[in-house]
Amino acid sequence: MEKWKQVIIGVVVVLFLGVGYLFYSKEPEERVVDEFVVESEEVVPAETVERLEIVVYVTGAVEYPNVYTVPEGARVGDVLSLAVLTDEADPEQLNLAQLLVDGVKIIVPKKGDAPIAQEVPSTEQEPNGVHVNSATKDELMSVPGIGPAKADAILNHLKVNGPFKTYEDLGDVKGFGEKTLESMKPYLLVP
């Protein structure tokens, strides 16, 4: 009887080892999750956000005064590198870090000239309003009716969908209904 117990125990041990081997040699099911993650990255290509261009006119103490087309988000210094400053230019009178807005004229003064009032609109609130496409969260919150949540919603929409092309496009932002848009129209500028 002792021999039968040893045989049965041996068979049971071999069965456990065989089942264990089959269980552990099987490919892990985590691969399905890996494939899902890869597919989600392919579904949202980085090129879906349209990159807009803006047009500015540069004149004054530059070698190549002209109308320049630059990517949105470009700064005064970027366009001046294309126009090439002359030796007489006084770039210290300009804010080289200023974001460019479509349709502005940049006049580069000569050294010794009186400061020139530039047409480069700031993103801060002006009598005409805040430029939505280039405003910061704080600048957006300076508009009556826009708090932190709505400012974040605008900035997230810009990040995902790119700049607004018309004022009506603000209606695509979560929390912006017809009445909200109508009340903010005097304060928001959309090119």
Side-chain angles (χ1 to χ4, degrees), residues 14-27:
V14 168
L15 282 175
F16 276 116
L17 289 174
V19 170
Y21 174 76
L22 290 175
F23 181 74
Y24 286 109
S25 68
K26 208 174 175 187
E27 288 190 33

Side-chain angles (χ1 to χ4, degrees), residues 157 164 166-178 181:
H157 189 276
F164 297 100
T166 65
Y167 185 78
E168 290 73 29
D169 290 345
L170 282 168
D172 297 339
V173 177
K174 184 179 179 183
F176 281 75
E178 248 180 77
L181 286 175

Side-chain angles (χ1 to χ4, degrees), residues 88-134:
E88 302 170 332
D90 186 9
E92 293 299 315
Q93 290 191 39
L94 301 173
N95 179 359
L96 301 179
Q98 175 70 48
L99 280 172
L100 292 171
V101 178
D102 190 47
V104 299
K105 178 180 181 180
I106 299 170
I107 303 169
V108 180
K110 293 181 180 180
K111 293 176 184 170
D113 284 354
I116 299 172
Q118 297 292 323
E119 293 179 28
V120 180
S122 72
T123 57
E124 297 175 13
Q125 186 167 352
E126 304 170 352
N128 296 338
V130 172
H131 293 276
V132 176
N133 289 334
S134 58

Side-chain angles (χ1 to χ4, degrees), residues 33-122:
V33 174
D34 289 341
E35 290 174 9
F36 178 76
V37 171
V38 170
E39 288 177 15
S40 69
E41 288 176 7
E42 292 175 7
V43 171
V44 184
E47 298 172 355
T48 57
V49 177
E50 184 179 323
R51 187 89 175 148
L52 294 179
E53 293 180 329
I54 58 174
V55 178
V56 295
Y57 175 53
V58 181
T59 187
V62 292
E63 291 186 26
Y64 308 107
N66 205 343
V67 174
Y68 291 91
T69 302
V70 293
E72 185 172 29
R75 302 192 182 264
V76 171
D78 298 332
V79 76
L80 291 183
S81 67
L82 298 172
V84 185
L85 297 173
T86 64
D87 292 336
E88 302 170 332
D90 186 9
E92 293 299 315
Q93 290 191 39
L94 301 173
N95 179 359
L96 301 179
Q98 175 70 48
L99 280 172
L100 292 171
V101 178
D102 190 47
V104 299
K105 178 180 181 180
I106 299 170
I107 303 169
V108 180
K110 293 181 180 180
K111 293 176 184 170
D113 284 354
I116 299 172
Q118 297 292 323
E119 293 179 28
V120 180
S122 72

